Amino acid sequence: MHIAVIGTGNIGGTLGRALARAGHQVTFGSRHPGDDQAAGDTSAVVATLAEALDGGQVVLLAVPARAIDDFLAEHAEAINSKLVIDATNRMGSANANAATQVSQAAPQARYARAFNMLGWENFADPLFDGVPADLFFSASQADRELVAELIAAVGLRPAYLGEDKQDVVDGVLPLWLSLVQASGGNRNIAFRVLEK
């Protein structure tokens, strides 16, 4: 699978490298395409935003919240027929996700919400005593299997919440942040759903 990872920071960089190590073709879209640091020791490449989007079958949106509107204004057409996985967090806004912005800018894009409710440290090292942490996500039924596959490729266990449940996914973020704060800043905290 060819994945365009838009953003090379802690979230985008960590996820892109993990997906590349799992065998996916990853192209980072960056404002600084000459800087290959995001690719690390993987087969991922760093290109312009347009170049990354051109080949990507899936778009993993991992830019700072303040950059979302500008990105969509410039690249809406390029994402309009693709699956967009939103890993952004608009902290302090009524909605942490960018579902409305994506649907308005690119109405034919398929939207999924994932990779936003844990810190990047948990994407870099998703195992707790050998057990993978759960990652809650929302996607259409048609895209559920694909998004779950990408979550598993990072080393996490997919925990599907249903279609159009991005607000429920977002509700986990303040819980995670509260746990981090209560533990003195330890960001290596995650969740596991138990079933009988």
Side-chain angles (χ1 to χ4, degrees), residues 119-125 128 176 180 183 185-190:
W120 67 270
E121 298 87 349
N122 295 291
F123 305 144
D125 184 8
F128 291 77
W176 182 80
V180 168
S183 69
N186 176 17
R187 293 171 54 89
N188 292 298
I189 292 176

Side-chain angles (χ1 to χ4, degrees), residues 5 7-22 26 28 37-42 44 60 62 115 118-126 150 153-156 187:
V5 178
T8 58
N10 285 336
I11 296 290
T14 303
L15 290 172
R17 289 187 294 275
L19 290 167
R21 287 185 190 108
V26 173
F28 286 103
Q37 285 187 335
D41 61 352
T42 72
L60 176 59
F115 299 117
L118 293 175
W120 67 270
E121 298 87 349
N122 295 291
F123 305 144
D125 184 8
L150 296 177
V154 173
L156 296 154
R187 293 171 54 89

Side-chain angles (χ1 to χ4, degrees), residues 56-86:
Q57 297 164 279
V58 173
V59 178
L60 176 59
L61 190 57
V63 297
R66 65 185 177 280
I68 294 170
D69 290 336
D70 288 344
F71 169 79
L72 292 172
E74 188 173 346
H75 300 286
E77 187 176 335
I79 68 169
N80 202 27
S81 61
K82 300 180 180 183
L83 171 61
V84 176
I85 301 175
D86 179 11

